[in-house]
Amino acid sequence: MIKSMTGFGRCETAENNRKFTVEMKSVNHRYLDVNIKMPKKLNFFESAIRSELKNYISRGKVDLFITYEDFSENTSSVRYNKELAAEYLGYLKQMASDFDLDCDIRVSTLSKYPDVFVMEEQDIDEEELWKELQRALKGACEMFVQTRITEGEHLRDDLIAKLDGMLKLVDFITERSPQIIVEYRQRLEERVKELLGDTTVDEGRLLTEVTIFADKVCVDEELVRLRSHIETTKNTLTAGGSIGRKLDFLAQEMNREANTILSKSNDLEISNCAIELKTEIEKVREQIQNIE
């Protein structure tokens, strides 16, 4: 199978009064580029999350969104900082003495000073939390991969159809190429007769001109290589796997051969066919950019 680099996955899990929601989407990219957005309290899992993603994805720009809700009753507690409160109180009494003021300190006032009371999160079992997050992450990844496979199958079928069409164009050029040599000889003979009248045509000279022309417009090697690249691309698509980079290279080579055929051609039908080939190759290259 082949995979598209466009995909989407979502999974939501809820257990032990905790709820995880994981969403991910991707577009094509030369390498694997992962952007993760999640609550700060889960940041220590980032390395493990990236390692998990590599089990499912090798290429693409991936945006990963994680939300976390904890419905436990005792998720946080208040800590009273007695030492700090005593320090505040000592300085307040000293101020009252230094400036001869009434020491009207009340508990409600002292409690409002910074860090006298601090909200603290309860200790979390990281191993248990990771198992729950990993379960949601795997669920999203499995859905994500399936959407990529489905899209990849559509891409494969469409690409193979385009490649088959390109083979027909190659067949046409292969059949047409020898004919233009014959037509060139006929035109040359007719032109010489027009100019020389009944004078006998020098067959040796005529053969030399035709040979030079044939060598100039010969595209046999380009056609062989182009056909080979098309067949290799079809076989690669059938084999599947992470083939995006290989297909991109093959498309570049196909375009190179089509350019050479077009540059050598002085026949309108072959030129039109070569232009159509280049157009189809460009369509193939665009679609290949979306294959992992």
Side-chain angles (χ1 to χ4, degrees), residues 265-277:
S265 173
N266 72 341
D267 177 74
L268 182 59
E269 292 184 58
I270 290 182
S271 295
N272 289 338
C273 198
I275 291 170
E276 192 173 347
L277 264 173

Side-chain angles (χ1 to χ4, degrees), residues 51-70:
S51 296
E52 188 71 30
L53 289 176
K54 288 179 180 178
N55 295 327
Y56 298 89
I57 313 164
S58 59
R59 289 179 68 200
K61 180 176 176 56
V62 182
D63 290 315
L64 181 69
F65 304 93
I66 301 174
T67 58
Y68 167 60
E69 298 175 78
D70 193 334

Side-chain angles (χ1 to χ4, degrees), residues 34 104 144 161 176 202 285:
V34 180
D104 59 347
F144 175 81
R176 175 66 184 159
D202 185 344
R285 287 188 68 181

